[in-house]
Amino acid sequence: MEWISKSNILIVGLGLMGGSYAMALRRLGYHVTAIARRQETIDYAVAHEIIDGGLAEPDPELIGSADAVIFALYPGVFVDWVRDNQQHFKPGAMLTDVTGIKRCIVYDIQELLRPDVEFIAAHPMAGKEVYGVENSDDRIFHNANYIVTPTKRNTPQAVEWCKSLGRILGFRKVSVLSPEEHDEMIGFLSQLTHCIAVALMTCSDNRHLVDYTGDSFRDLTRIARINDGMWSELFLKNKDALLRQMDLFAGEFQQIRELLAAEDREGLREKMRLSTQRRAYFNPAPR
């Protein structure tokens, strides 16, 4: 299925990710509109040619003109928005999202959604340590990963449509996982890493550390500059998966501590060799 068959795109939620989607799609020639909470956001996006137009409140005509709707909202707000406004969707419209967790929203939305509209969930594994439409940057998609998370309710056509969206946006790799597989994976790769970065920054209040730090600390704590409203909701809504990953990490950290306490140099070296070996999986493949 060619994604270009859908020409009018509505973005609901115009922060960093919604703005970056809008920027990329408008560059590709789509007519892109948006709905945001504040008129200032819409005005900025229009003035900087990120979108063609938009409103600061749900509008039946604007919603009904969209062939595809991309949601960039917090999980709880997302479900409520669909419940309150789905009567305005164009019959046959395709819906997708950028939400960082899936189990707590995908099934609820598909259950309440009209049968003539289809929601196929996705997660762009991209971003920056800033937020807001003024930081929109479609280059964040290049060489990043994109995950489609279908359920039994999704048609093969919708899955292909969503995969095609990832490809035209410029993602390096497009994968397919179930919502459950996605949330377990994201608990490790994304949420646990943010927990570690936050813990590193909160375990010492020495303001002079900045005078002595090197690249290793800066690299490890890059994501500690965090949107507390969004990430606290993501953590709580994926609590079971994240707690499992935190327990696994705590156990591994305790093993390293015990090796150090016992002055077991060979044991420490073995952990480091294993770490080096596994980190190599993430290196770019040679061309």
Side-chain angles (χ1 to χ4, degrees):
M1 172 183 286
E2 288 295 331
W3 205 85
I4 56 174
S5 63
K6 300 296 184 182
S7 58
N8 294 318
I9 314 301
L10 173 65
I11 311 287
V12 181
L14 204 58
L16 168 68
M17 196 58 64
S20 298
Y21 264 64
M23 181 181 289
L25 291 167
R26 194 170 184 275
R27 286 187 197 277
L28 290 167
Y30 296 93
H31 183 265
V32 181
T33 56
I35 296 174
R37 289 184 301 171
R38 299 185 302 121
Q39 187 60 44
E40 293 89 341
T41 300
I42 296 296
D43 293 344
Y44 179 94
V46 171
H48 290 79
E49 299 185 341
I50 297 171
I51 59 174
D52 293 292
L55 294 168
E57 59 184 17
D59 176 75
E61 184 176 350
L62 186 62
I63 298 169
S65 67
D67 299 301
V69 186
I70 299 168
F71 290 91
L73 300 172
Y74 289 10
V77 174
F78 181 15
V79 176
D80 291 340
W81 200 100
V82 172
R83 179 182 294 110
D84 294 342
N85 296 284
Q86 66 163 310
Q87 69 271 22
H88 306 309
F89 291 138
K90 175 188 289 189
M94 202 71 76
L95 315 182
T96 190
D97 71 326
V98 305
T99 317
I101 48 175
K102 296 306 180 190
R103 290 172 300 163
C104 68
I105 59 166
V106 172
Y107 299 108
D108 287 348
I109 289 175
Q110 290 184 338
E111 183 65 30
L112 66 85
L113 198 59
R114 288 167 28 197
D116 62 342
V117 177
E118 186 165 356
F119 170 54
I120 172 69
H123 184 188
M125 297 292 290
K128 297 194 292 185
E129 292 70 59
V130 290
Y131 44 92
V133 69
E134 62 273 14
N135 291 300
S136 299
D137 183 359
D138 56 348
R139 293 171 298 180
I140 63 176
F141 306 138
H142 301 165
N143 296 317
N145 295 317
Y146 178 87
I147 305 169
V148 182
T149 59
T151 73
K152 293 180 179 179
R153 287 179 178 260
N154 286 121
T155 62
Q157 292 81 5
V159 175
E160 287 306 310
W161 174 86
C162 197
K163 290 165 66 177
S164 180
L165 170 59
R167 287 191 288 267
I168 70 163
L169 287 171
F171 285 91
R172 178 183 64 84
K173 183 175 178 59
V174 176
S175 302
V176 178
L177 295 174
S178 71
E180 291 75 17
E181 291 170 329
H182 169 276
D183 286 1
E184 193 69 34
M185 178 276 302
I186 214 70
F188 177 72
L189 283 180
S190 180
Q191 294 179 345
L192 175 63
T193 54
H194 280 78
C195 287
I196 294 168
V198 169
L200 279 169
M201 291 308 307
T202 57
C203 70
S204 174
D205 64 354
N206 184 345
R207 296 189 179 186
H208 295 290
L209 291 175
V210 68
D211 299 326
Y212 322 125
T213 189
D215 289 342
S216 58
F217 189 82
R218 280 191 290 266
D219 290 345
L220 279 170
T221 58
R222 177 181 59 82
I223 56 175
R225 183 181 178 186
I226 194 167
N227 181 337
D228 58 284
M230 180 182 74
W231 281 97
S232 60
E233 182 172 350
L234 294 176
F235 285 3
L236 289 167
K237 289 186 178 295
N238 200 33
K239 182 178 73 171
D240 55 345
L242 178 54
L243 286 173
R244 282 193 296 273
Q245 299 302 333
M246 292 176 79
D247 289 343
L248 287 170
F249 179 82
E252 192 68 21
F253 196 85
Q254 180 63 27
Q255 287 184 36
I256 295 172
R257 189 188 190 284
E258 290 171 359
L259 291 169
L260 179 62
E263 298 188 9
D264 185 347
R265 182 174 183 180
E266 185 52 38
L268 287 169
R269 292 187 65 187
E270 180 56 32
K271 286 289 187 186
M272 294 172 184
R273 286 192 291 265
L274 180 59
S275 169
T276 300
Q277 175 187 331
R278 291 182 177 175
R279 183 60 180 82
Y281 302 158
F282 294 82
N283 295 340
R287 296 184 177 182

